[in-house]
């Protein structure tokens, strides 16, 4: 019986070799080799043992092991990078505190007894002095405007208060000069810089308030639409809020006068957020990027160049049909496109902010995205204006229209954090 089985085994082996030899023609130069395999041994194991020499097998295993170790090291490095980024983000968030309606994981100002007029981003002495210089320049500009107003109206009280405020600004400039000298000489008195900065902050806040009170006296003598908004500093708490929301819109035109020399990027002239979508409608120029129009988080790049310190009139039109948009600067079309949030109507019941980009409804401001400069005649229509209508606005024609959704009126806007309103009339005070 055993001999019969052994004979059967060899017959099967011979048959396999014959079949292999017959099939070799289909594989070109491939050669089949028949190998005798003991009947009690696994065929796959025997094939591996006979086809791969011991040294080659060992080398293959070592290469696989080395590959696994390299992949493990790569994964560990990636985990370490993620931990570092997470740690940095946590530190940034821990250094900021949210205000009511301003819960964002970015640069924020803690609510304290006095306002930090020099921003919240951590600064070295040089940055602090530069920020102080810009603040003082802004105060001087506002005082010069008040001086011109007082000459026109022959107000003795306004002159006396202006002189008092000018003296205070002179004192502040002396403090700045003293700090510059201290930096150059390396005086040890700079160790109390935080306390010194607090005193300067407090004085600047008081000046802002007194100048604002003085400016309020002008409002009784000017038309409600003859004013401009000024955002002198790049902070996360200086902004203006439109008192009313926007309706649902299937088309719109937004127009305004802007003046800025901020770099890099003029910031965010306006942002409109609705529940569930902070970027419902945003105009922003951030960092070294071109100015962008965002609708429902979809982006179109606009060919505006306005950060030359001169007044420019800009208009943007859009329709939900095919998402067609057009961009005008100083009455001339500079660019157009389509497929920008097509068939998405602008949603109602949102919050319209001037000067800041919202990351939450009505808040979440980031100092790096804040608008720096002046703004006037911000108007919104719920239709696409014609080329002629936009030209009339840019040239201050008597035929120019005001927005039917939002029109530029002083009583429709509230300012916060040091943003100010003062007299301005387009085309008479340009550049």
């Amino acid at each position: 019986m055993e001999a019969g089985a052994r004979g059967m085994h060899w017959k099967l082996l011979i048959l396999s070799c014959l079949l292999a030899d017959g099939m070799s023609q289909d594989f070109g130069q491939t050669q089949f080799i028949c190998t005798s395999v003991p009947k009690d041994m696994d065929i796959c194991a025997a094939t591996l043992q006979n086809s791969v020499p011991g040294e080659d097998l060992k080398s293959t295993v070592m290469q696989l092991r080395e590959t696994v170790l390299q992949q493990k090291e790569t994964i560990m490095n990636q985990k370490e990078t993620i931990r570092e980024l997470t740690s940095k983000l946590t530190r940034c968030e821990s250094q900021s505190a949210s205000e009511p309606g301003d819960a964002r994981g970015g640069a924020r100002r803690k609510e304290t007894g006095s306002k930090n007029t020099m921003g919240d981003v951590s600064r070295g002495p040089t940055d602090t002095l530069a920020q102080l210089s810009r603040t003082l320049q802004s105060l001087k500009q506002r005082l010069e405007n008040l001086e011109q107003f007082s000459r026109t109206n022959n107000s003795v009280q306004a002159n006396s208060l202006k002189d008092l405020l000018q003296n205070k600004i002179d004192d502040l400039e002396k403090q700045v000069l003293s700090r510059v000298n201290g930096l150059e000489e390396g005086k040890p008195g700079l160790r109390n810089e935080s306390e010194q900065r607090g005193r300067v902050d407090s004085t600047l806040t008081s000046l802002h308030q007194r100048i604002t009170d003085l400016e309020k006296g002008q409002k009784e003598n000017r038309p409600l639409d003859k004013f401009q908004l000024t955002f002198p500093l790049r902070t996360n708490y200086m902004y203006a809020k439109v008192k009313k929301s926007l309706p649902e819109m299937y088309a719109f035109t937004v127009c305004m006068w802007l003046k800025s020399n901020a770099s890099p990027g003029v910031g965010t002239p306006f942002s409109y957020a609705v529940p569930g979508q902070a970027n419902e409608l945003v105009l922003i120029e951030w960092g070294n990027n071109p100015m962008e129009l965002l609708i429902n988080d979809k982006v179109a790049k606009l060919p505006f160049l306005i950060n030359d310190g001169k007044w420019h009139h800009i208009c943007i039109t859009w329709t939900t049909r095919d998402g067609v948009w057009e961009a005008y600067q100083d009455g001339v079309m500079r660019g157009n496109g389509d497929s920008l949030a097509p068939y998405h109507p602008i949603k109602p019941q949102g919050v319209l902010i001037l000067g800041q980009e919202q990351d939450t409804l009505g808040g979440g401001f980031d100092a790096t995205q804040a608008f720096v400069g002046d703004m006037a005649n911000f108007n919104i229509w719920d239709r696409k204006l014609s080329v002629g209508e936009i030209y009339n606005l840019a040239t201050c024609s008597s035929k120019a229209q005001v927005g039917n959704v939002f029109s530029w009126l002083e009583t429709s806007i509230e300012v916060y954090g040091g943003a100010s309103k003062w007299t301005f009339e387009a085309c008479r005070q340009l550049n």
Side-chain angles (χ1 to χ4, degrees), residues 288-329:
N288 295 314
N289 301 310
M291 185 166 282
E292 296 175 338
L293 176 67
L294 279 69
I295 298 179
N296 192 34
D297 253 340
K298 307 302 185 294
V299 182
K301 297 185 183 300
L302 308 180
F304 291 148
L305 295 174
I306 61 173
N307 64 335
D308 57 1
K310 298 180 180 180
W311 281 103
H312 292 283
H313 186 265
I314 65 171
C315 279
I316 303 164
T317 70
W318 173 86
T319 61
T320 185
R321 183 182 178 88
D322 297 326
V324 176
W325 60 270
E326 295 175 347
Y328 296 79
Q329 179 175 323

Side-chain angles (χ1 to χ4, degrees), residues 50 217 242 258 261 265 300 358 394:
N50 292 318
V242 174
L258 292 177
N261 60 0
Q358 305 173 66

Side-chain angles (χ1 to χ4, degrees), residues 41 47 112 126 140 143 189 204 261 273 337:
M41 188 173 185
T47 303
T112 59
T126 303
K140 277 188 171 183
L143 281 173
L204 286 174
N261 60 0

